[in-house]
Amino acid sequence: MNINKNYQNLKEGYLFQTISEKVKKHSKENPDLKIIRLGIGDVTRPLAPPVIDAMHKAVAEMGMAESFRGYGDYEGYSFLRAAVCGYYAKKGVALREDEVFVSDGAKSDLANILDIFSSGNTVVIPDPVYPVYVDTNIMAGRKIIYMDGNADNAFLPMPKSGVKADIIYLCSPNNPTGAVYGKKQLERWVSYALENDAVILFDGAYEIFVQDRDLPTSIYQISGADRCAIEFCSLSKTAGFTGTRCGYTVVPQALMRDGESLNKLWLRRQATKFNGVSYVVQRGAEAVFTKNGMERIKGDISYYLENARIITDALTELGIWFTGGKNAPYIWLKCPGRMSSWEFFDVLLCKAGVVATPGAGFGANGEGFLRLTAFGDRENLIEAMGRIKAVCG
Ligand code: MLT
């Protein structure tokens, strides 16, 4: 018996797992220390009342023979897919229900989608980047070409002539840098994908944080994207579903490769390997897209963006270079005193009791940077920035 040897090419631990183990160890050694977590992008605002009400109602339905539900549709309940289509219509994007697939979150689908592509494909991935894109392609043994993101290109790499890609990952607003592609930039990516017969895997998990009305919040706002892009969205950061689990993936009917409909292939894959998200959670997710639900969650997004402002004000005061935090919940900063990412991570953990994410964990170009998240509870966040000021000031 042989194992999948590609796993030997992975770093030993998944980034956030490694951080969590380090933090656990530090906590154990310093039991009286109050650790403040600005590392993994985990939300702190509770689920909105309309979501909770919808879930309670759904739980009650599950307890009565006449409204009980067993297996749902593989692609998700029609009521939720219709709600997602309504959300896109407000962005000026016309979607059909059969183009929307409900999932347990963007992370799983970004990895699972690779099932429908040949492992012989070449993948283009930005660096720095959310580690799931890299790790899942290493697991499958695909050839990866990295595109450099740096301060010179505002961490928004653009297509390079001479690079032949089959699969392209774009994340906007970006995790980890908070950078957001403009319309013209996405138009260039769409043209490049169409010219190269490539498919863009567009991670839009943070789209709701975009405040600047000129910035696209969906790749399908770009003409031609329905022929070259799959979009992944999540309610994790949008509506506090990190623990509840629900997201959706859009695979347009117009998207064909190798003579096959990718929508059909994805449905085939999901029907075989996935039994869907629970009815109760899908009812809660549907409530996110109601008028009341949207108003509540937009209040939470404003709360997180105000947190981001508090972080960036403190960094400005300290004279630390940063980007992000305006249309995204992440702040990407240069480690002071030429420290490496992990050195600064250790300083913040050991001297300030604050957990951050080392930029090096997002790729070679992340070395020397650190990511802070704005998802914390306000009081803790203010305390964390006070501690960081005391250590770095
Ligand atoms: C992050 O901190 O990058 C994200 O929370 C991780 C994720 O969404 O899986």
Side-chain angles (χ1 to χ4, degrees), residues 91-272:
K91 297 172 185 247
V93 174
L95 288 186
R96 285 170 36 171
E97 263 182 52
D98 62 7
E99 295 176 309
V100 178
F101 295 81
V102 175
S103 72
D104 66 339
K107 175 179 173 177
S108 339
D109 271 14
L110 278 156
N112 295 336
I113 196 77
L114 295 173
D115 273 9
I116 67 169
F117 298 111
S118 156
S119 56
N121 285 324
T122 298
V123 187
V124 163
I125 304 185
D127 173 353
V129 83
Y130 180 40
V132 169
Y133 314 156
V134 173
D135 285 1
T136 52
N137 278 288
I138 290 178
M139 288 170 181
R142 273 192 199 84
K143 180 179 169 206
I144 300 176
I145 299 174
Y146 293 96
M147 10 177 220
D148 290 331
N150 47 47
D152 294 339
N153 59 18
F155 292 96
L156 295 168
M158 296 303 296
K160 270 201 186 142
S161 57
V163 173
K164 171 80 186 83
D166 300 305
I167 299 171
I168 302 154
Y169 285 84
L170 297 180
C171 177
S172 181
N174 187 267
N175 179 11
T177 66
V180 188
Y181 279 111
K183 188 161 186 273
K184 291 228 153 11
Q185 291 170 312
L186 286 184
E187 280 169 357
R188 275 180 60 198
W189 272 114
V190 166
S191 302
Y192 171 84
L194 290 170
E195 276 159 27
N196 284 276
D197 202 30
V199 172
I200 296 173
L201 302 181
F202 190 82
D203 182 350
Y206 300 94
E207 56 82 29
I208 199 149
F209 288 88
V210 172
Q211 303 296 297
D212 182 341
R213 285 174 176 269
D214 297 335
L215 293 171
T217 55
S218 164
I219 188 90
Y220 303 120
Q221 288 165 330
I222 309 299
S223 163
D226 59 339
R227 287 179 287 119
C228 67
I230 296 176
E231 183 158 294
F232 302 83
C233 279
S234 161
L235 297 186
S236 285
K237 317 299 159 90
T238 305
F241 274 57
T242 51
T244 310
R245 310 304 315 153
C246 195
Y248 52 90
T249 292
V250 178
V251 190
Q253 290 290 356
L255 183 52
M256 305 284 297
R257 285 296 176 274
D258 224 353
E260 297 273 358
S261 153
L262 296 195
N263 181 291
K264 280 209 176 71
L265 290 189
W266 181 239
L267 177 58
R268 183 70 180 81
R269 188 267 172 213
Q270 290 297 79
T272 309

